Amino acid sequence: MGGVSKDLTVNQEWVKKRFEKCDDILKRQVFLGEGRQEGYLVYVEVTVSNLMLEEHVIGLSDVQPLDGYEQAEAALLAGNGILFLEGDDTVYKISSKGYPGIGVSKAESEKVMRGSREGFTESEKLNVALIRKRLRDPRMKVQEQTIGTRSHTMTALVYMEDLIYPRLLDTIRERLDAYEIDGILDSGMLEQLVEKHWLSPFPQFQSTERPDRAAAAVLEGRVVLVVDHSPTVLVFPADYNSFFQTSDDWYNRFETASFARILRFFAAILAMSFPAIYVAVTSWHTSLLPTNLILSMAAAREGVPFPSLGEVLLMEISFELIREAGIRLPGPIGNTIGIVGGLIIGQSAVTANLVSPIVVIVVAFTALCSFAIPNEEFASAFRLLKYGCMFMGAWLGLYGVLLSYLWVLTHLSHLNSFGIPYLMPYVASDLNGYADEKDALLRFPFRMITRRPVFARRNARVKLRKKG
C-alpha cells in the first residue's frame, strides 16, 4: 500500500485486485460537477444510501480526505464510502449510515424501578454518544483504537481527564497492546485477555448495559471501555462493593437503597453457602436443630435413597439445566420452561421419593438469592463456589463451610483491579479518609456523600459542596 495515484485507472485496478471475489463491495463510476469530473466510488453494499448516489449530493455529505490506500481500505471496511477522482492524488472518505444494527432499546439485564430505561446498542459510536449525552463536558475524553488483525474492531476508552490517574490509562493501553489476536467479537473476549487475575472466578471488570451507570462511573474517576458490536461496556477499576450497586440506588431515598444493599450482600453469602449449610447440618450437626424440626425432616426424608449431598446435587444440577434451557429457548417458551419446568421437576422428584421437600425449598431459595445479585457475571462466581462449599460441608461439616468462607475471603483479599484493593472500602478505608464507607453496605444520605471514591485523583475527589 502507499500513496494514491492520480491515474484513476491505477486506482481502479488496486480496488479490483484488493477486493477480488468480494461481491458485497460495490464499485461505481460517477461524474461530478458541471465539468463532469470522472470518479470511482467504492462502498459496502448496505452502508451507502442509493438515494445519495442517484441524486449526486456527495458535496453535501461529510467528506474527509485520506492519505493513502491503507487508510482508504480501513475507512471502506468501517462502513464508509471511498471516492477516487481523476487527476487527484487524494482519496476521499464519504461518511455514511454505517453497518445496520439495533437501535437504542431498553436495558434488559439491569432493570430498575426508577431512572433511565435506555440501554447500550451494538454500535461503538452510538454508545459513546449515549455517554456524551449525559456528560456534556469537554474534559470527558474519548480515545479510539482498533483491535484485531482481521476484525479491526473499534474500541474506545472514555474517561474524565481531570479525574483519572494517568498511570491507569498507561496500564490499560499496555494490556490492550500485549496480545495480537485475529478478531474481537464482544467485550467479554477483551475482558478475559486484559484482566490480571485471570484464574479467579470473580470479575475484575464491571460490565453494564446502562449508559447512566457508565456515566456515573466516569464521574467517579473510572474508565469505560466501549467495544464495537457489543451492547455491554466494561468499567474499571472495580471493587467488590461496586458489583452490589444498582443505578436506582442513587435515585431512591437512602433508607430504601441501604435496605436493598443489605439484602444483596446476604443473598450473595447464602447463594454460595445455603445448600452447604443444609448438607453440613443434616449430615453432621443435627443436634443444632430443634427436635420438632429434626422429626419433620426425618419424616420428609423417609424413603429417599440418596444422602443429603446427593439429593442437593441432583436438584442443583436440575435447576442449572432449567436455567440454561430457559436462556437458549425463544422468549415465551423460555419463560414457560423456567417456571413450569421447575415446578414439575421439583414436585415429581418429591413424589418419586428422589429428594425431600425441604431440599426443593433450599435449592429454590438459593436460586432466588443468586438472582438478587445485580451483576450476572459476579453472581456466576458464587454459583460456582457453591459446589465446592457443598463438598466441604459434606466432608467436614460446618467447619468445612467456615473454611470455605476463609478461603474466599483470603482469595478476595489478594485480588486487585488496576491497583485498587478488591475489598475496598472494607480494607484500606483510610486511603480516602473513610469517605467510601458512606456508599458501601449502607448508602448515606446524598448530601453527606461529598467525596468521590478512591478511584479519582486525590486532589479532585470533592464532588459536592454547598454554595457560598
Side-chain angles (χ1 to χ4, degrees), residues 96-130:
S96 68
K97 62 182 181 180
Y99 290 101
I102 300 175
V104 178
S105 58
K106 291 184 179 181
E108 293 296 332
S109 64
E110 296 176 79
K111 295 182 179 180
V112 294
M113 297 297 293
R114 185 172 182 177
S116 172
R117 299 294 191 270
E118 279 185 339
F120 282 123
T121 72
E122 296 182 2
S123 167
E124 175 263 336
K125 296 289 186 183
L126 191 52
N127 290 344
V128 171
L130 289 173

mmCIF file of all heavy atoms in Angstrom, residues 96-130:
data_model
loop_
_atom_site.group_PDB
_atom_site.id
_atom_site.type_symbol
_atom_site.label_atom_id
_atom_site.label_comp_id
_atom_site.label_asym_id
_atom_site.label_seq_id
_atom_site.Cartn_x
_atom_site.Cartn_y
_atom_site.Cartn_z
ATOM 1 N N SER A 96 -21.085 7.564 5.955
ATOM 2 C CA SER A 96 -22.411 7.045 5.611
ATOM 3 C C SER A 96 -23.123 6.601 6.868
ATOM 4 O O SER A 96 -22.652 6.796 7.984
ATOM 5 C CB SER A 96 -22.274 5.856 4.645
ATOM 6 O OG SER A 96 -21.675 4.759 5.306
ATOM 7 N N LYS A 97 -24.245 5.966 6.702
ATOM 8 C CA LYS A 97 -25.031 5.497 7.835
ATOM 9 C C LYS A 97 -24.393 4.289 8.515
ATOM 10 O O LYS A 97 -24.807 3.882 9.591
ATOM 11 C CB LYS A 97 -26.438 5.133 7.380
ATOM 12 C CG LYS A 97 -26.469 3.989 6.362
ATOM 13 C CD LYS A 97 -27.886 3.699 5.903
ATOM 14 C CE LYS A 97 -27.902 2.542 4.903
ATOM 15 N NZ LYS A 97 -29.266 2.238 4.433
ATOM 16 N N GLY A 98 -23.337 3.717 7.899
ATOM 17 C CA GLY A 98 -22.633 2.601 8.514
ATOM 18 C C GLY A 98 -23.377 1.283 8.384
ATOM 19 O O GLY A 98 -24.376 1.167 7.677
ATOM 20 N N TYR A 99 -22.872 0.287 9.076
ATOM 21 C CA TYR A 99 -23.469 -1.039 9.039
ATOM 22 C C TYR A 99 -24.811 -1.048 9.765
ATOM 23 O O TYR A 99 -25.021 -0.277 10.700
ATOM 24 C CB TYR A 99 -22.536 -2.065 9.678
ATOM 25 C CG TYR A 99 -21.293 -2.355 8.873
ATOM 26 C CD1 TYR A 99 -20.073 -1.781 9.214
ATOM 27 C CD2 TYR A 99 -21.344 -3.194 7.765
ATOM 28 C CE1 TYR A 99 -18.922 -2.045 8.475
ATOM 29 C CE2 TYR A 99 -20.201 -3.462 7.024
ATOM 30 C CZ TYR A 99 -18.999 -2.888 7.384
ATOM 31 O OH TYR A 99 -17.875 -3.152 6.641
ATOM 32 N N PRO A 100 -25.716 -1.915 9.343
ATOM 33 C CA PRO A 100 -27.005 -1.988 10.049
ATOM 34 C C PRO A 100 -26.818 -2.530 11.452
ATOM 35 O O PRO A 100 -25.915 -3.319 11.722
ATOM 36 C CB PRO A 100 -27.828 -2.956 9.176
ATOM 37 C CG PRO A 100 -26.808 -3.759 8.433
ATOM 38 C CD PRO A 100 -25.656 -2.843 8.201
ATOM 39 N N GLY A 101 -27.660 -2.090 12.357
ATOM 40 C CA GLY A 101 -27.564 -2.535 13.738
ATOM 41 C C GLY A 101 -28.853 -2.230 14.474
ATOM 42 O O GLY A 101 -29.758 -1.573 13.969
ATOM 43 N N ILE A 102 -28.928 -2.711 15.707
ATOM 44 C CA ILE A 102 -30.101 -2.473 16.545
ATOM 45 C C ILE A 102 -30.009 -1.085 17.148
ATOM 46 O O ILE A 102 -28.957 -0.684 17.653
ATOM 47 C CB ILE A 102 -30.176 -3.543 17.651
ATOM 48 C CG1 ILE A 102 -30.294 -4.937 17.030
ATOM 49 C CG2 ILE A 102 -31.354 -3.285 18.575
ATOM 50 C CD1 ILE A 102 -30.263 -6.055 18.042
ATOM 51 N N GLY A 103 -31.091 -0.345 17.116
ATOM 52 C CA GLY A 103 -31.108 0.989 17.684
ATOM 53 C C GLY A 103 -31.179 0.957 19.200
ATOM 54 O O GLY A 103 -31.128 -0.093 19.833
ATOM 55 N N VAL A 104 -31.281 2.141 19.791
ATOM 56 C CA VAL A 104 -31.344 2.258 21.252
ATOM 57 C C VAL A 104 -32.601 1.563 21.760
ATOM 58 O O VAL A 104 -33.703 1.810 21.279
ATOM 59 C CB VAL A 104 -31.345 3.741 21.671
ATOM 60 C CG1 VAL A 104 -31.450 3.857 23.191
ATOM 61 C CG2 VAL A 104 -30.088 4.432 21.174
ATOM 62 N N SER A 105 -32.423 0.681 22.740
ATOM 63 C CA SER A 105 -33.547 -0.061 23.303
ATOM 64 C C SER A 105 -33.403 -0.101 24.817
ATOM 65 O O SER A 105 -32.478 0.478 25.392
ATOM 66 C CB SER A 105 -33.600 -1.481 22.730
ATOM 67 O OG SER A 105 -32.378 -2.160 22.992
ATOM 68 N N LYS A 106 -34.303 -0.793 25.480
ATOM 69 C CA LYS A 106 -34.266 -0.876 26.932
ATOM 70 C C LYS A 106 -33.145 -1.808 27.386
ATOM 71 O O LYS A 106 -32.810 -2.769 26.712
ATOM 72 C CB LYS A 106 -35.608 -1.395 27.468
ATOM 73 C CG LYS A 106 -36.766 -0.423 27.315
ATOM 74 C CD LYS A 106 -38.031 -0.992 27.957
ATOM 75 C CE LYS A 106 -39.193 -0.018 27.841
ATOM 76 N NZ LYS A 106 -40.424 -0.540 28.482
ATOM 77 N N ALA A 107 -32.578 -1.489 28.544
ATOM 78 C CA ALA A 107 -31.591 -2.371 29.163
ATOM 79 C C ALA A 107 -32.319 -3.560 29.770
ATOM 80 O O ALA A 107 -33.122 -3.409 30.687
ATOM 81 C CB ALA A 107 -30.807 -1.616 30.226
ATOM 82 N N GLU A 108 -32.054 -4.755 29.250
ATOM 83 C CA GLU A 108 -32.810 -5.936 29.663
ATOM 84 C C GLU A 108 -32.280 -6.570 30.942
ATOM 85 O O GLU A 108 -33.040 -7.040 31.775
ATOM 86 C CB GLU A 108 -32.790 -6.971 28.528
ATOM 87 C CG GLU A 108 -33.552 -6.533 27.282
ATOM 88 C CD GLU A 108 -35.044 -6.367 27.535
ATOM 89 O OE1 GLU A 108 -35.575 -7.045 28.437
ATOM 90 O OE2 GLU A 108 -35.671 -5.549 26.847
ATOM 91 N N SER A 109 -30.975 -6.603 31.116
ATOM 92 C CA SER A 109 -30.402 -7.343 32.243
ATOM 93 C C SER A 109 -30.230 -6.500 33.500
ATOM 94 O O SER A 109 -29.897 -7.028 34.557
ATOM 95 C CB SER A 109 -29.042 -7.937 31.844
ATOM 96 O OG SER A 109 -28.121 -6.901 31.560
ATOM 97 N N GLU A 110 -30.409 -5.185 33.402
ATOM 98 C CA GLU A 110 -30.254 -4.299 34.556
ATOM 99 C C GLU A 110 -31.486 -3.411 34.686
ATOM 100 O O GLU A 110 -31.417 -2.194 34.537
ATOM 101 C CB GLU A 110 -28.998 -3.448 34.420
ATOM 102 C CG GLU A 110 -27.702 -4.243 34.409
ATOM 103 C CD GLU A 110 -26.496 -3.361 34.172
ATOM 104 O OE1 GLU A 110 -26.049 -2.697 35.115
ATOM 105 O OE2 GLU A 110 -26.015 -3.327 33.031
ATOM 106 N N LYS A 111 -32.603 -4.027 34.965
ATOM 107 C CA LYS A 111 -33.850 -3.284 35.075
ATOM 108 C C LYS A 111 -33.896 -2.533 36.404
ATOM 109 O O LYS A 111 -33.404 -3.017 37.430
ATOM 110 C CB LYS A 111 -35.039 -4.238 34.960
ATOM 111 C CG LYS A 111 -35.146 -4.904 33.589
ATOM 112 C CD LYS A 111 -36.358 -5.809 33.497
ATOM 113 C CE LYS A 111 -36.454 -6.446 32.119
ATOM 114 N NZ LYS A 111 -37.626 -7.347 31.989
ATOM 115 N N VAL A 112 -34.492 -1.355 36.364
ATOM 116 C CA VAL A 112 -34.611 -0.529 37.563
ATOM 117 C C VAL A 112 -36.044 -0.028 37.684
ATOM 118 O O VAL A 112 -36.796 0.018 36.702
ATOM 119 C CB VAL A 112 -33.647 0.675 37.512
ATOM 120 C CG1 VAL A 112 -32.204 0.222 37.570
ATOM 121 C CG2 VAL A 112 -33.888 1.524 36.274
ATOM 122 N N MET A 113 -36.409 0.334 38.912
ATOM 123 C CA MET A 113 -37.731 0.895 39.140
ATOM 124 C C MET A 113 -37.780 2.381 38.830
ATOM 125 O O MET A 113 -38.814 2.926 38.480
ATOM 126 C CB MET A 113 -38.142 0.666 40.602
ATOM 127 C CG MET A 113 -38.270 -0.797 40.980
ATOM 128 S SD MET A 113 -39.566 -1.634 40.051
ATOM 129 C CE MET A 113 -41.023 -0.797 40.694
ATOM 130 N N ARG A 114 -36.650 3.054 38.982
ATOM 131 C CA ARG A 114 -36.591 4.489 38.752
ATOM 132 C C ARG A 114 -35.314 4.814 38.005
ATOM 133 O O ARG A 114 -34.252 4.284 38.302
ATOM 134 C CB ARG A 114 -36.622 5.231 40.091
ATOM 135 C CG ARG A 114 -36.687 6.733 39.967
ATOM 136 C CD ARG A 114 -36.904 7.367 41.342
ATOM 137 N NE ARG A 114 -37.024 8.805 41.250
ATOM 138 C CZ ARG A 114 -37.277 9.601 42.283
ATOM 139 N NH1 ARG A 114 -37.432 9.071 43.497
ATOM 140 N NH2 ARG A 114 -37.379 10.909 42.132
ATOM 141 N N GLY A 115 -35.412 5.703 37.028
ATOM 142 C CA GLY A 115 -34.240 6.080 36.252
ATOM 143 C C GLY A 115 -34.440 5.817 34.779
ATOM 144 O O GLY A 115 -35.491 5.362 34.329
ATOM 145 N N SER A 116 -33.407 6.097 34.007
ATOM 146 C CA SER A 116 -33.458 5.950 32.555
ATOM 147 C C SER A 116 -33.694 4.493 32.153
ATOM 148 O O SER A 116 -33.218 3.572 32.814
ATOM 149 C CB SER A 116 -32.152 6.451 31.938
ATOM 150 O OG SER A 116 -32.097 6.164 30.564
ATOM 151 N N ARG A 117 -34.427 4.309 31.064
ATOM 152 C CA ARG A 117 -34.664 2.961 30.532
ATOM 153 C C ARG A 117 -33.738 2.655 29.343
ATOM 154 O O ARG A 117 -33.785 1.575 28.787
ATOM 155 C CB ARG A 117 -36.123 2.823 30.064
ATOM 156 C CG ARG A 117 -37.170 3.015 31.159
ATOM 157 C CD ARG A 117 -37.099 1.916 32.192
ATOM 158 N NE ARG A 117 -38.237 1.917 33.091
ATOM 159 C CZ ARG A 117 -38.304 2.591 34.233
ATOM 160 N NH1 ARG A 117 -37.264 3.336 34.611
ATOM 161 N NH2 ARG A 117 -39.371 2.541 35.001
ATOM 162 N N GLU A 118 -32.923 3.626 28.944
ATOM 163 C CA GLU A 118 -32.063 3.431 27.781
ATOM 164 C C GLU A 118 -30.989 2.389 28.052
ATOM 165 O O GLU A 118 -30.451 2.303 29.163
ATOM 166 C CB GLU A 118 -31.379 4.752 27.395
ATOM 167 C CG GLU A 118 -32.249 5.689 26.586
ATOM 168 C CD GLU A 118 -31.486 6.916 26.129
ATOM 169 O OE1 GLU A 118 -30.458 7.245 26.718
ATOM 170 O OE2 GLU A 118 -31.935 7.559 25.167
ATOM 171 N N GLY A 119 -30.677 1.622 27.022
ATOM 172 C CA GLY A 119 -29.594 0.649 27.099
ATOM 173 C C GLY A 119 -28.618 0.858 25.958
ATOM 174 O O GLY A 119 -28.944 1.485 24.942
ATOM 175 N N PHE A 120 -27.409 0.348 26.116
ATOM 176 C CA PHE A 120 -26.411 0.452 25.062
ATOM 177 C C PHE A 120 -26.825 -0.368 23.844
ATOM 178 O O PHE A 120 -27.631 -1.309 23.943
ATOM 179 C CB PHE A 120 -25.051 -0.024 25.565
ATOM 180 C CG PHE A 120 -24.329 0.986 26.421
ATOM 181 C CD1 PHE A 120 -23.941 0.668 27.709
ATOM 182 C CD2 PHE A 120 -24.040 2.243 25.935
ATOM 183 C CE1 PHE A 120 -23.272 1.582 28.497
ATOM 184 C CE2 PHE A 120 -23.373 3.175 26.723
ATOM 185 C CZ PHE A 120 -22.991 2.848 28.004
ATOM 186 N N THR A 121 -26.262 -0.019 22.704
ATOM 187 C CA THR A 121 -26.530 -0.710 21.451
ATOM 188 C C THR A 121 -25.284 -1.491 21.038
ATOM 189 O O THR A 121 -24.329 -1.607 21.813
ATOM 190 C CB THR A 121 -26.904 0.284 20.347
ATOM 191 O OG1 THR A 121 -25.729 1.016 19.952
ATOM 192 C CG2 THR A 121 -27.955 1.270 20.835
ATOM 193 N N GLU A 122 -25.264 -1.969 19.806
ATOM 194 C CA GLU A 122 -24.113 -2.719 19.309
ATOM 195 C C GLU A 122 -23.177 -1.840 18.486
ATOM 196 O O GLU A 122 -22.274 -2.341 17.822
ATOM 197 C CB GLU A 122 -24.592 -3.909 18.483
ATOM 198 C CG GLU A 122 -25.371 -4.922 19.317
ATOM 199 C CD GLU A 122 -25.811 -6.130 18.519
ATOM 200 O OE1 GLU A 122 -25.477 -6.195 17.327
ATOM 201 O OE2 GLU A 122 -26.479 -7.000 19.086
ATOM 202 N N SER A 123 -23.372 -0.516 18.518
ATOM 203 C CA SER A 123 -22.528 0.424 17.786
ATOM 204 C C SER A 123 -21.655 1.198 18.764
ATOM 205 O O SER A 123 -22.159 1.844 19.685
ATOM 206 C CB SER A 123 -23.395 1.394 16.975
ATOM 207 O OG SER A 123 -22.627 2.488 16.502
ATOM 208 N N GLU A 124 -20.363 1.144 18.563
ATOM 209 C CA GLU A 124 -19.438 1.872 19.445
ATOM 210 C C GLU A 124 -19.684 3.367 19.394
ATOM 211 O O GLU A 124 -19.676 4.049 20.434
ATOM 212 C CB GLU A 124 -18.001 1.521 19.042
ATOM 213 C CG GLU A 124 -16.932 2.297 19.790
ATOM 214 C CD GLU A 124 -16.426 3.504 18.997
ATOM 215 O OE1 GLU A 124 -16.540 3.478 17.761
ATOM 216 O OE2 GLU A 124 -15.926 4.449 19.621
ATOM 217 N N LYS A 125 -19.900 3.909 18.217
ATOM 218 C CA LYS A 125 -20.133 5.351 18.072
ATOM 219 C C LYS A 125 -21.379 5.776 18.830
ATOM 220 O O LYS A 125 -21.394 6.798 19.517
ATOM 221 C CB LYS A 125 -20.274 5.704 16.596
ATOM 222 C CG LYS A 125 -19.042 5.460 15.749
ATOM 223 C CD LYS A 125 -17.947 6.468 16.058
ATOM 224 C CE LYS A 125 -16.773 6.311 15.095
ATOM 225 N NZ LYS A 125 -15.669 7.230 15.433
ATOM 226 N N LEU A 126 -22.442 5.006 18.691
ATOM 227 C CA LEU A 126 -23.697 5.347 19.351
ATOM 228 C C LEU A 126 -23.577 5.199 20.865
ATOM 229 O O LEU A 126 -24.127 6.022 21.625
ATOM 230 C CB LEU A 126 -24.820 4.464 18.809
ATOM 231 C CG LEU A 126 -26.258 4.843 19.192
ATOM 232 C CD1 LEU A 126 -26.534 6.307 18.880
ATOM 233 C CD2 LEU A 126 -27.246 3.963 18.448
ATOM 234 N N ASN A 127 -22.847 4.203 21.327
ATOM 235 C CA ASN A 127 -22.675 4.013 22.767
ATOM 236 C C ASN A 127 -21.895 5.172 23.394
ATOM 237 O O ASN A 127 -22.226 5.645 24.483
ATOM 238 C CB ASN A 127 -21.967 2.693 23.039
ATOM 239 C CG ASN A 127 -22.833 1.492 22.738
ATOM 240 O OD1 ASN A 127 -24.038 1.615 22.600
ATOM 241 N ND2 ASN A 127 -22.235 0.333 22.624
ATOM 242 N N VAL A 128 -20.861 5.629 22.693
ATOM 243 C CA VAL A 128 -20.110 6.785 23.180
ATOM 244 C C VAL A 128 -21.005 8.019 23.218
ATOM 245 O O VAL A 128 -20.957 8.816 24.159
ATOM 246 C CB VAL A 128 -18.863 7.023 22.305
ATOM 247 C CG1 VAL A 128 -18.199 8.351 22.670
ATOM 248 C CG2 VAL A 128 -17.870 5.881 22.463
ATOM 249 N N ALA A 129 -21.848 8.155 22.188
ATOM 250 C CA ALA A 129 -22.760 9.299 22.146
ATOM 251 C C ALA A 129 -23.760 9.268 23.301
ATOM 252 O O ALA A 129 -24.143 10.322 23.828
ATOM 253 C CB ALA A 129 -23.503 9.323 20.813
ATOM 254 N N LEU A 130 -24.195 8.074 23.713
ATOM 255 C CA LEU A 130 -25.127 7.964 24.835
ATOM 256 C C LEU A 130 -24.478 8.397 26.148
ATOM 257 O O LEU A 130 -25.161 8.927 27.041
ATOM 258 C CB LEU A 130 -25.635 6.523 24.957
ATOM 259 C CG LEU A 130 -26.605 6.064 23.869
ATOM 260 C CD1 LEU A 130 -26.892 4.572 24.000
ATOM 261 C CD2 LEU A 130 -27.903 6.842 23.932
#
